[in-house]
Amino acid sequence: MKNYLVIGGSSGIGKQISTLLVEEGHAVFSSYNTNYIPDNKDIKYFYLNVLDKIELPDWLPEQIDGFVYCPGSITLKPFHRLTKESFLKDYELNVLGSVEILKQILPRMKSASIVLFSSIAVQKGMKYHAQVAASKGAIEGLTHALSAELAPNIRVNAIAPSLTETPLSAALLKTEQQREGNAKRHPLHRFGNVQDIASAACFLLSDKSSWITGQILHVDGGFSTINL
Ligand SMILES: NC(=O)c1ccc[n+]([C@@H]2O[C@H](COP(=O)([O-])OP(=O)(O)OC[C@H]3O[C@@H](n4cnc5c(N)ncnc54)[C@H](OP(=O)(O)O)[C@@H]3O)[C@@H](O)[C@H]2O)c1
């Protein structure tokens, strides 16, 4: 049994990761921001807004074996409508939140696996994705740098999903037309679901991936690398 800390475990991908880890018999400590859903008493939830002062609960275990950082955003706007302030806020949510938490928990991580979240928008240029691509590009750089600095005892990887059905992406999958169009854009003819991404994250967190570090895992139905 391992101890896992999941930041953003109350919705979408993070909620599914928390559920799978508990099903595997691990102790799971997950944060929520706006959606406290106490529907799984095995997951120990606590409140955290990474845009405020970050104070983790003092009852977290002394040893943390795995860490996942899920807060993120999908702000799709033409470049001229994006402001310096919105870029900075996005960076704070996607990147600085993970940096600050890692600084606090690294002393508790002796041998561990860290999973961060990037996006397909880094590998594949897509219009209106400038802000998310900038923040997630920083996550990919952080993944590479930290994997070097923390080896050999701590592994650091990131997952770069394509469109995955969660509350975050709901606006992109509202109508039948949107759902069909988005499914067809992917070589595997569907958009992702939380299980697709959470099972990849649980693999990276587990000892099954013990020779994998410094990688960006593209879980995207082939969208980033295959031309249709
Ligand atoms: N869904 C996609 O299509 C997609 C595609 C590419 C990359 N990603 C990335 O995958 C990751 C997970 O996305 P998701 O779709 O599962 O998102 P989601 O459903 O919105 O879940 C995000 C989680 O982060 C928490 N969170 C949000 N803002 C926070 C804040 N200020 N402080 C602390 N926690 C906060 C949320 O808490 P509450 O719900 O309690 O507020 C929730 O638990 C993100 O980094 C996202 O950028 C997603």
Side-chain angles (χ1 to χ4, degrees):
M1 187 192 86
K2 291 180 189 278
N3 294 327
Y4 287 108
L5 176 61
V6 182
I7 299 300
S10 52
S11 169
I13 294 165
K15 187 177 175 195
Q16 186 65 10
I17 293 171
S18 302
T19 305
L20 292 183
L21 291 172
V22 157
E23 281 171 11
E24 288 173 8
H26 302 296
V28 181
F29 306 85
S30 288
S31 76
Y32 67 94
N33 180 29
T34 54
N35 285 306
Y36 177 52
I37 328 162
D39 61 358
N40 191 333
K41 61 180 177 13
D42 297 324
I43 301 171
K44 291 167 193 67
Y45 276 106
F46 59 92
Y47 168 79
L48 183 71
N49 181 352
V50 298
L51 300 178
D52 288 343
K53 188 169 189 297
I54 296 181
E55 276 172 331
L56 294 171
D58 54 13
W59 45 260
L60 287 179
E62 268 316 302
Q63 177 184 317
I64 294 176
D65 305 298
F67 170 66
V68 193
Y69 185 84
C70 298
S73 47
I74 309 180
T75 305
L76 304 185
K77 281 185 186 171
F79 185 60
H80 72 270
R81 287 184 48 210
L82 293 167
T83 62
K84 180 180 168 186
E85 288 68 33
S86 68
F87 268 90
L88 283 171
K89 192 172 174 199
D90 218 54
Y91 191 78
E92 198 178 354
L93 179 72
N94 281 281
V95 186
L96 294 183
S98 70
V99 168
E100 176 57 29
I101 294 169
L102 277 169
K103 280 178 175 290
Q104 294 188 23
I105 64 171
L106 272 173
R108 299 175 190 229
M109 302 179 95
K110 300 288 175 262
S111 164
S113 173
I114 294 168
V115 175
L116 304 175
F117 274 96
S118 177
S119 159
I120 187 170
V122 177
Q123 171 93 358
K124 187 161 180 136
M126 290 186 280
K127 63 182 179 181
Y128 308 144
H129 283 66
Q131 188 170 288
V132 60
S135 293
K136 295 303 196 182
I139 283 289
E140 295 200 5
L142 183 68
T143 301
H144 291 138
L146 280 185
S147 63
E149 198 165 328
L150 301 179
N153 294 324
I154 300 179
R155 298 184 295 112
V156 188
N157 295 288
I159 294 176
S162 183
L163 183 62
T164 301
E165 187 163 27
T166 70
L168 183 67
S169 62
L172 304 174
L173 292 169
K174 259 200 307 231
T175 66
E176 216 28 63
Q177 204 182 4
Q178 282 176 315
R179 298 176 74 81
E180 257 179 49
N182 276 310
K184 280 204 185 124
R185 287 197 304 153
H186 292 82
L188 294 182
H189 279 182
R190 66 176 178 84
F191 42 81
N193 58 50
V194 290
Q195 183 67 20
D196 293 321
I197 312 299
S199 54
C202 289
F203 166 69
L204 290 175
L205 288 169
S206 78
D207 293 340
K208 289 179 191 155
S209 59
S210 63
W211 209 44
I212 300 178
T213 193
Q215 301 302 312
I216 312 300
L217 183 56
H218 297 275
V219 186
D220 60 12
F223 194 38
S224 61
T225 47
I226 299 173
N227 271 332
L228 281 179

